[in-house]
Amino acid sequence: MKTPLALVACALVLGACATAQPTVYRPQANASDVGFTQYKMEDGRYRVTFRGGSGAPVGQVTDYALLRAAELALADGYSWFRVADRVTQSTGGGGGPTFSVGGGSGSYGRRSSVGLGVGTSFNLGPKPALSTTLEVVFGKGPRPPGEAYDAQSVVNTIGKGMGRI
């Protein structure tokens, strides 16, 4: 009885040691890193992706993508931007607990036996990582009505929340 209990305890301890990758605002070194990438499609139009760490909240991942879009707009001399397309994806991690039931029988000479087993498993690994990709269109002058963002306001608001300002 001690051995199965010790194995369960070891599995729980090792599962708790799995560290989540922190979400940091920086360029990605490669496709599996946390951070942002950008691709200039044409003048005034970019595709910006931010990939968060394991378990990063969707709001934070989206905010960081918006922040990068605002920084690009200001760097290119634009005052506002509009999100033309948005895709949020979840990668890695696993589902929740799984349960299984099994049965069997056997014959041993003159004796037969029937068995029933119940099992469960839990994913103790890291949570899924989220990424948000925005296709943004930049503009100059007064911000148009609707869903356009003032680039400087986004940098001030989200950047301040990150402690960057």
Side-chain angles (χ1 to χ4, degrees):
M1 183 66 179
K2 288 183 181 180
T3 302
L5 203 52
L7 289 174
V8 169
C10 286
L12 290 174
V13 169
L14 289 174
C17 291
T19 58
Q21 189 177 17
T23 298
V24 292
Y25 185 76
R26 61 175 168 73
Q28 292 180 348
N30 61 54
S32 64
D33 283 348
V34 171
F36 61 83
T37 59
Q38 70 229 10
Y39 174 74
K40 186 173 183 175
M41 301 168 72
E42 61 184 10
D43 286 341
R45 183 182 290 265
Y46 277 82
R47 183 177 300 123
V48 177
T49 298
F50 186 85
R51 184 178 186 276
S54 172
V58 69
Q60 181 186 50
V61 173
T62 302
D63 283 352
Y64 285 6
L66 287 170
L67 176 61
R68 187 61 190 155
E71 290 172 341
L72 290 169
L74 292 173
D76 285 358
Y78 294 95
S79 58
W80 57 267
F81 66 96
R82 177 176 54 83
V83 176
D85 192 22
R86 178 186 317 238
V87 176
T88 300
Q89 296 177 320
S90 174
T91 57
T98 58
F99 301 95
S100 60
V101 178
S105 64
S107 178
Y108 308 98
R110 294 184 184 163
R111 300 187 70 187
S112 329
S113 65
V114 175
L116 179 66
V118 177
T120 184
S121 68
F122 297 90
N123 180 1
L124 299 176
K127 293 180 180 178
L130 295 175
S131 67
T132 295
T133 300
L134 306 175
E135 184 178 325
V136 292
V137 178
F138 301 154
K140 296 180 181 180
R143 184 175 65 172
E147 295 190 29
Y149 294 88
D150 178 271
Q152 189 62 56
S153 292
V154 170
V155 168
N156 293 344
T157 303
I158 297 175
K160 184 178 180 183
M162 293 172 51
R164 289 177 52 118
I165 296 177

